[in-house]
């Protein structure tokens, strides 16, 4: 048995957390390759190391100096190293890091140092070799992960090692510079390492006992999901269930390696098993696996009689958004209606009215209307396809709560139902769906 374990920011916040992690690793000899994030918040009012590093970079560019803010980074890492009584010369490494940040003046390099410093300390504390992610993780000329090249590098670099500590979140770009994934990207590094060493399981250690049916900040008593498929997880994480990065399933999917989400603070809990789709039959009997959502979307609603028989209608609508370089989230349609759902953030600076005018010119709709401040909520589950009446139950629950549904999109896979509601109904809506399927 071989396990790759990734420990998230909250699992690495202070010296006590490092000790807890060491105990978890020591309790199972198959936990051999360890990926770490940068230390997160120690309490609600604290700062994540990665956030502070981005601020250091901004200070450096704006004022030419960042030493005041770097003092916070220094203090946190020195304190951890001192309390763990390790022999590593952390002060010397911190001095060098500060110099390198000053010289390179690069946002990705600066942000990556949280993971780098954390992994150096953890490697020393565990007595495992430190293997830098830049030796293995490569991005291509478009800035995307070069997955196969990276996989070869991981195989070769880790071959013959009993164990290692690897920093998450970053690798090397085409030109040889440090480049990071998007936020939360250490989850991807963990999956890359799991694929490379052909792990039996990828354990992702965080601060919750697995993937919960919905965000515990909205439903504190949300139940933990025992099994979830890669596909369901993609839908949920893309729609805002932040517990695992949306792209973390891809590397492990190729080898059908299960991901086990575990709680560092309650290691005895089973957590959630994320499994290949074909193993779904072993899952429990729930209809809805999870509920997730995101705020701040804009819907452009278009009506035109007989649009279905107008050849090229949808293409001409979509060519407008493509022309403005916009990403369309969903395109729900009826016989004579079509909606475009777009993230509001992309539509600033008058773009929205330009897009609407150009659609008007391109397809001469009978009616076009913009609905702003929309939240999208996805109700996801393989079980929904097997049961009739799921949609009726969901919509009934929302009607009971007086929630007005502004948009519905049910994919043909019957894996999810996506609805749009006003931003102010977002939390209420998630609670209502949770209660409809999970309240005893
Ligand atoms: P880490 O620092 O370990 O990477 P994250 O903060 O990225 O942890 O992810 C864990 C957090 O995700 C939880 O603390 C919780 O607040 C949030 N979260 C959002 N949706 C869910 C969900 N459906 N299940 C579990 N946690 C969720
Ligand atoms: N430290 C990085 C972040 O805060 C990466 C990670 O935690 O996965 O986004
Ligand atoms: Mg995370």
């Amino acid at each position: 048995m071989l396990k790759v374990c990734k420990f998230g920011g909250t699992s690495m916040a202070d010296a006590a957390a490092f000790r807890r992690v060491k105990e978890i690793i020591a309790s199972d000899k198959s936990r051999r390759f360890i990926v770490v994030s940068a230390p997160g918040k120690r309490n609600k009012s604290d700062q994540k190391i990665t956030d502070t590093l981005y601020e250091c970079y901004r200070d450096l560019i704006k004022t030419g100096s960042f030493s005041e803010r770097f003092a916070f980074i220094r203090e946190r890492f020195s304190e951890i190293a001192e309390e763990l009584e390790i022999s590593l010369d952390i002060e010397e490494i911190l001095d060098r890091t500060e110099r390198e940040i000053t010289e390179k003046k690069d946002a990705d390099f600066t942000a990556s140092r949280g993971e780098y410093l954390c992994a150096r300390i953890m490697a020393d504390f565990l007595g495992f070799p430190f293997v830098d992610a830049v030796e293995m993780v490569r991005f291509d000329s478009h800035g995307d992960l070069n997955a196969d090249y990276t996989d070869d590098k991981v195989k070769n670099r880790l071959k013959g090692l009993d164990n290692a500590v690897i920093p998450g979140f970053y690798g090397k770009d085409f030109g040889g510079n440090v480049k990071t994934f998007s936020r939360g990207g250490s989850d991807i590094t963990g999956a890359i390492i799991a694929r490379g060493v052909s792990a039996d399981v990828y354990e992702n250690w965080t601060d919750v006992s697995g993937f919960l049916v919905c965000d515990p900040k909205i439903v504190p008593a949300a139940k933990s999901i025992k099994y979830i498929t890669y596909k369901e997880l993609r839908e949920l994480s893309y729609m805002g269930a932040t517990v695992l990065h949306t792209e973390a399933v891809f590397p492990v999917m190729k080898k059908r390696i299960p991901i086990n989400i575990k709680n560092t603070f309650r290691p005895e809990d089973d957590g959630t098993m994320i499994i290949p789709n074909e193993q779904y039959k072993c899952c429990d009997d729930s209809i809805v696996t999870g509920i997730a959502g995101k705020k701040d979307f804009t819907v452009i609603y278009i009506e035109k009689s007989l649009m279905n028989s107008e050849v090229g209608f949808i293409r001409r609508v979509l060519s407008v958004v493509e022309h403005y370089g916009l990403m369309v989230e969903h395109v729900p349609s009826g016989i004579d209606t079509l909606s475009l759902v777009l993230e509001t953030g992309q539509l600033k600076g008058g773009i929205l009215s330009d897009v609407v005018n150009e659609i008007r010119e391109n397809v001469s709709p009978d009616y076009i209307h913009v609905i702003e401040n929309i939240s999208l909520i996805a109700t996801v589950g393989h079980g929904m396809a097997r049961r009739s009446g799921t949609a009726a139950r969901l919509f009934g629950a929302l009607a009971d709560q007086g929630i007005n549904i502004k948009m519905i999109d049910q994919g043909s896979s019957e894996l999810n139902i996506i609805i749009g509601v006003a931003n102010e109904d977002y939390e209420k809506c998630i609670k209502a769906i949770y209660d409809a399927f999970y309240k005893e």
Side-chain angles (χ1 to χ4, degrees), residues 183-203:
R183 294 300 302 268
S186 301
D187 291 331
I188 309 173
T189 313
I192 287 170
I193 303 299
R195 176 188 170 192
V197 301
S198 297
D200 295 290
V201 56
Y202 166 30
E203 288 183 344

Side-chain angles (χ1 to χ4, degrees), residues 148-345:
D148 292 335
Y149 185 87
T150 296
D151 192 47
D152 279 345
K153 289 272 171 199
V154 173
K155 275 195 186 84
N156 290 331
R157 183 63 183 84
L158 301 182
K159 193 173 55 191
L161 287 183
D162 284 337
N163 38 40
V165 176
I166 301 138
F169 190 38
Y170 70 93
K172 208 166 139 172
D173 74 7
F174 202 59
N177 301 309
V178 164
K179 177 174 164 52
T180 62
F181 289 105
S182 54
R183 294 300 302 268
S186 301
D187 291 331
I188 309 173
T189 313
I192 287 170
I193 303 299
R195 176 188 170 192
V197 301
S198 297
D200 295 290
V201 56
Y202 166 30
E203 288 183 344
N204 188 290
W205 291 82
T206 182
D207 62 345
V208 277
S209 287
F211 218 101
L212 308 178
V213 172
C214 59
D215 189 342
K217 288 185 194 88
I218 299 174
V219 180
K223 285 194 178 135
S224 169
I225 302 170
K226 221 172 151 88
Y227 293 103
I228 180 170
T229 63
Y230 292 149
K231 261 200 187 147
E232 291 172 319
L233 175 94
R234 275 277 297 154
E235 299 280 351
L236 287 170
S237 61
Y238 182 74
M239 283 300 289
T242 52
V243 63
L244 194 76
H245 193 290
T246 344
E247 289 160 37
V249 290
F250 293 122
V252 289
M253 228 161 117
K254 294 201 189 263
K255 285 208 170 141
R256 324 313 277 164
I257 300 167
I259 307 171
N260 190 191
I261 309 276
K262 299 269 293 173
N263 189 346
T264 310
F265 304 90
R266 295 178 58 95
E268 65 287 358
D269 288 356
D270 291 337
T272 299
M273 272 311 221
I274 304 166
I275 52 175
N277 306 329
E278 68 273 10
Q279 287 175 21
Y280 169 65
K281 53 186 176 301
C282 75
C283 298
D284 61 17
D285 221 23
S286 52
I287 305 171
V288 164
T289 308
I291 308 151
K294 283 199 254 185
K295 284 187 172 175
D296 296 327
F297 288 88
T298 297
V299 179
I300 303 176
Y301 173 83
I302 304 160
E303 224 178 87
K304 187 172 187 185
S305 297
L306 301 173
M307 69 162 69
N308 275 356
S309 54
E310 213 178 293
V311 175
F313 185 90
I314 296 180
R315 183 186 48 75
R316 275 182 282 139
V317 171
L318 291 179
S319 69
V320 177
V321 283
E322 190 181 351
H323 174 215
Y324 285 88
L326 302 172
M327 285 204 343
V328 185
E329 208 74 18
H330 294 280
V331 191
S333 63
I335 307 172
D336 295 325
T337 64
L338 181 75
S339 296
L340 301 178
V341 184
L342 304 125
E343 241 179 60
T344 306

Side-chain angles (χ1 to χ4, degrees), residues 6 8-9 37-38 48 50-51 54 111 115 168-169 182-187:
K6 176 256 169 180
S37 285
K48 281 177 107 177
T50 311
D51 291 334
Y54 279 117
E115 270 70 13
F169 190 38
S182 54
R183 294 300 302 268
S186 301
D187 291 331

